[in-house]
Amino acid sequence: MEKKNIDWGNLSFGYIVTDKRYVSNYKDGAWDEGVLTDDANVVLNECAGVLQYAQTVFEGLKAYTTEDGHIVTFRPDLNAERLEQSAKRLEMPVFPKERFVDAVTQVVRANAAYVPPYGTGATLYIRPYMFGTNPVIGVKPADEYQFRMFCTPVGPYFKGGVKPITICVSDFDRAAPHGTGHIKAGLNYAMSMHAIMEAHRNGFDENMYLDAATRTKVEETGGANFLFVTKDNKVVTPKSGSILPSITRRSLIYVAKEYLGLEVEEREVFFDEVKDFAECGLCGTAAVISPVGRIVDHGNEICMPSGMEKMGPVTQKLYDTLTGIQMGRIEAPEGWIHVVE
């Protein structure tokens, strides 16, 4: 398929309407067969469950053009599994894993002209989501739902290359113990918007959230997991029941162990330890890894020994290896790469 006439090298991380999106409706206890549609608009009753009680969950993944010219996606089965866990937590019906992966294939294939060419730094971002559609005025789960999936070509999350960011320890709590922090629900992101805007107004790029119970342990940011490297090159990631299980983080842990031979610890990370780490990064779908150079806790600064000017050496190896796997330059573990065409 001939590619669209898009300036791939100057794309922002934003929304561009593409040709097709996938829609399936849940009614009377079952999902319909689902269709691809040209219509990018969603029409809802004014009393729809999603509008009244925020009953919505979503995912995010990417499609890439590999070095040998194939269009692929990265571990879509894990996105399907995470969406399933999110749906169950909000008393929503599960969209079957096999159908989720098939929908990814259909959407990417139908919009192949929008998949950026290899080497441009751009990718096709895919957004699956599900929401309650029927009128709900009493506080209860909806009876009817819609599952949708669209895609949009996006540029690198950081224009001009990856630069170390400055983050602050937030006064706000991201998630309560036994709450919804471990699922990808829209409500989690809505409550984080004031906190991130406050951080931006104070000159910071992101927030570091601590655990709500004791405010002594590192959790995550509004949209990414933390990854630390010790001075003896051990990779450490925070473990908590209220952290969203990042697919990128899980993949980086595997890469650290199996490809780079590094020791990895998934454990509680106390904020008092952060000053002793050599490197710090934020990991997620959009940027893969964002290096953190400086962490500010109410005026007290922690400057990471590696990462003030550029990505630290271990973080860089992790980034290069994972992106190499995604782009087909490095052989992937079995099942990680889903070939669309």
Side-chain angles (χ1 to χ4, degrees):
M1 182 181 291
E2 186 177 347
K3 296 295 183 184
K4 296 290 183 179
N5 184 22
I6 294 173
D7 185 0
W8 305 108
N10 287 305
L11 281 173
S12 65
F13 197 87
Y15 172 69
I16 295 173
V17 180
T18 52
D19 294 340
K20 300 284 185 180
R21 66 277 309 136
Y22 180 91
V23 182
S24 180
N25 291 292
Y26 181 89
K27 188 175 182 179
D28 299 326
W31 291 101
D32 66 19
E33 63 183 15
V35 296
L36 289 174
T37 177
D38 299 331
D39 191 357
N41 296 307
V42 178
V43 179
L44 289 171
N45 183 278
E46 63 187 351
C47 196
V50 63
L51 300 178
Q52 303 308 315
Y53 301 116
Q55 202 181 13
T56 179
V57 294
F58 70 100
E59 276 298 322
L61 63 156
K62 288 180 175 181
Y64 314 83
T65 301
T66 60
E67 193 170 27
D68 59 3
H70 289 292
I71 295 175
V72 306
T73 58
F74 183 71
R75 310 189 79 177
D77 56 316
L78 296 189
N79 292 98
E81 290 172 8
R82 192 168 63 181
L83 187 76
E84 176 180 339
Q85 296 306 311
S86 297
K88 287 178 177 178
R89 181 63 176 80
L90 293 193
E91 292 294 329
M92 303 169 75
V94 169
F95 193 75
K97 177 178 174 178
E98 296 76 16
R99 290 194 58 187
F100 180 101
V101 175
D102 179 63
V104 170
T105 302
Q106 289 189 50
V107 168
V108 175
R109 189 172 286 157
N111 295 288
Y114 292 92
V115 181
Y118 175 80
T120 60
T123 54
L124 187 75
Y125 186 79
I126 306 159
R127 171 54 60 87
Y129 59 114
M130 187 197 309
F131 50 92
T133 55
N134 66 291
V136 179
I137 196 66
V139 180
K140 63 179 182 178
D143 298 313
E144 299 174 8
Y145 296 85
Q146 189 168 97
F147 172 85
R148 296 179 70 99
M149 185 183 297
F150 68 86
C151 61
T152 179
V154 296
Y157 199 70
F158 296 104
K159 297 295 287 184
V162 178
K163 295 182 176 66
I165 61 175
T166 298
I167 65 176
C168 63
V169 175
S170 181
D171 289 325
F172 299 96
D173 295 326
R174 176 189 164 272
H178 314 296
T180 58
H182 63 295
I183 66 169
K184 206 165 177 66
L187 56 91
N188 292 341
Y189 294 79
M191 57 72 58
S192 74
M193 289 183 184
H194 176 66
I196 189 61
M197 294 308 295
E198 278 291 285
H200 290 168
R201 282 188 282 266
N202 289 319
F204 301 105
D205 298 297
E206 254 295 0
N207 285 301
M208 171 183 278
Y209 290 106
L210 304 180
D211 72 294
T214 70
R215 295 195 60 79
T216 60
K217 290 173 278 192
V218 176
E219 293 253 301
E220 60 167 278
T221 70
N225 285 183
F226 278 101
L227 184 148
F228 299 101
V229 181
T230 66
K231 291 173 182 174
D232 58 354
N233 293 340
K234 183 185 299 179
V235 177
V236 179
T237 63
K239 184 176 183 179
S240 164
S242 53
I243 292 176
L244 184 73
S246 163
I247 293 164
T248 303
R249 178 186 57 81
R250 290 158 68 181
S251 303
L252 287 167
I253 287 170
Y254 184 91
V255 164
K257 291 178 181 176
E258 304 300 330
Y259 281 69
L260 302 179
L262 299 172
E263 187 177 347
V264 176
E265 288 184 352
E266 296 178 73
R267 59 171 175 80
E268 290 185 337
V269 175
F270 287 87
F271 180 69
D272 287 348
E273 298 179 67
V274 172
K275 66 183 184 304
D276 298 320
F277 291 127
E279 301 176 38
C280 174
L282 310 180
C283 54
T285 299
V288 182
I289 306 178
S290 310
V292 175
R294 193 162 56 106
I295 302 165
V296 181
D297 177 23
H298 301 86
N300 298 314
E301 293 190 0
I302 299 172
C303 296
M304 307 308 295
S306 292
M308 291 301 293
E309 302 297 329
K310 60 181 181 179
M311 198 177 281
V314 174
T315 308
Q316 186 71 59
K317 287 179 184 176
L318 289 167
Y319 176 87
D320 291 344
T321 307
L322 187 59
T323 54
I325 289 169
Q326 291 172 334
M327 294 296 178
R329 296 188 298 269
I330 297 172
E331 186 175 354
E334 185 177 354
W336 278 30
I337 302 299
H338 175 71
V339 179
V340 174
E341 63 177 41

